[in-house]
Amino acid sequence: MADQEAGAVPKDQKGSWMSFLKSISTFSGDLYSLTAPSFILSPTSLAEFPSYWGEPSALFAEMSKGKTPEDRALKVLRWFLATLKGQFTTRETQTGSEKKPLNPILGELFLGTYDDGRLVLTAEQVSHHPPVTAYFLENKDAGVSLQGHCAQKTSFSARQILVKQVGHAFIKIKLADGGIETYLITLPTLRIEGLWYGSPYIELADTSYIQGSNGILSTIEYKGKGYFSGKSHSFKATISGGSKTQVIEGMPTPSAVRSH
């Protein structure tokens, strides 16, 4: 363990890293108020994170193309699962560890477009303490929009940081017959592991839900990697309430998802 830690933490910041670990182990309250060592800080603002909702832009537009409620519920689930990779595993792959995002200033805006401008994102930091980000995405041509907000409540437990994502997302789909179908999405809990090695990484935990106005419910159970077994970022999703129950298992990439 000492060798792993030595390889992950810069030599000139070992002292500050150990001080940081000691401070979070005894801290009571929201860990966002603590200052982390510079090598673990990200240049990305927390206000930019809603952009991950829009990155699977083709899947976002596909949600309105389902012919039946069951088809649309499945398309919503597949889009949601595809967003998880960008939100929770991309930075670990690119930099070798998760980084603490910048705390946005109140009123900070992040604007984005996808698919040659067909999908438009507006995100705004609506609270500074605690940090709360509100967002709205819309593809008018596809008749699909998403709005929501997200805050984080963090705490230290044993050898990990627990992040409870407070908030939800709400999808609205315009149907071909002029009707509206909606989906309420809750957010998974995050476990930040690898702290003692100086290489934090995220594991999804607990259960999140996607409840459709058509009565169809998707229940996503996040398994993650245990101390001795299991695969990182794995899940099991069950779609119920339609004509049949469907189960999807895999990891949060479109190509890795399989149903049965």
Side-chain angles (χ1 to χ4, degrees):
M1 176 175 165
D3 292 340
Q4 288 176 296
E5 183 178 309
V9 182
K11 290 183 178 180
D12 62 344
Q13 297 198 41
K14 283 184 181 180
S16 62
W17 181 245
M18 293 308 298
S19 296
F20 176 69
L21 293 179
K22 290 177 182 178
S23 66
I24 63 176
S25 65
T26 58
F27 184 78
S28 62
D30 196 315
L31 298 178
Y32 267 98
S33 62
L34 292 176
T35 301
S38 59
F39 81 94
I40 210 69
L41 298 179
S42 167
T44 303
S45 169
L46 199 61
E48 298 179 38
F49 276 53
S51 64
Y52 295 118
W53 290 114
E55 288 187 351
S57 56
L59 294 176
F60 190 91
E62 281 286 324
M63 288 190 279
S64 61
K65 296 180 181 179
K67 300 299 183 183
T68 66
E70 290 83 0
D71 287 343
R72 291 188 293 274
L74 180 59
K75 289 180 182 294
V76 170
L77 175 60
R78 289 189 180 276
W79 160 80
F80 173 74
L81 294 174
T83 69
L84 297 179
K85 178 176 175 61
Q87 292 188 70
F88 306 119
T89 70
T90 298
R91 293 174 301 281
E92 178 188 334
T93 302
Q94 292 174 343
T95 67
S97 68
E98 184 63 33
K99 304 293 184 181
K100 182 182 183 295
L102 297 177
N103 198 355
I105 61 173
L106 183 63
E108 181 175 328
L109 291 173
F110 181 78
L111 309 175
T113 60
Y114 312 80
D115 274 353
D116 297 322
R118 287 187 290 272
L119 176 59
V120 179
L121 161 69
T122 302
E124 180 179 355
Q125 195 68 14
V126 295
S127 175
H128 186 60
H129 292 294
V132 180
T133 307
Y135 48 86
F136 180 75
L137 293 92
E138 184 177 30
N139 185 324
K140 289 185 177 180
D141 293 340
V144 181
S145 65
L146 169 78
Q147 63 179 320
H149 72 279
C150 185
Q152 294 80 28
K153 288 188 176 180
T154 55
S155 61
F156 185 80
S157 175
R159 302 167 65 89
Q160 61 189 6
I161 292 176
L162 299 178
V163 182
K164 181 180 180 181
Q165 297 197 93
V166 181
H168 61 268
F170 188 76
I171 289 178
K172 182 185 291 186
I173 299 175
K174 295 181 180 179
L175 306 179
D177 62 4
I180 298 292
E181 195 170 79
T182 60
Y183 294 85
L184 178 66
I185 302 172
T186 64
L187 307 173
T189 297
L190 312 179
R191 294 199 328 260
I192 302 179
E193 307 273 8
L195 296 171
W196 297 99
Y197 304 121
S199 297
Y201 63 92
I202 288 177
E203 282 286 6
L204 304 180
D206 299 335
T207 304
S208 69
Y209 303 91
I210 304 175
Q211 177 65 66
S213 59
N214 50 28
I216 298 177
L217 173 67
S218 294
T219 303
I220 307 105
E221 301 173 75
Y222 304 96
K223 300 178 181 178
K225 186 176 182 179
Y227 195 79
F228 295 107
S229 62
K231 294 182 178 180
S232 293
H233 316 302
S234 58
F235 65 84
K236 178 180 179 181
T238 303
I239 306 176
S240 59
S243 58
K244 63 177 181 178
T245 298
Q246 299 184 71
V247 177
I248 295 177
E249 295 182 274
M251 299 175 68
T253 60
S255 60
V257 174
R258 67 181 187 278
S259 60
H260 54 80

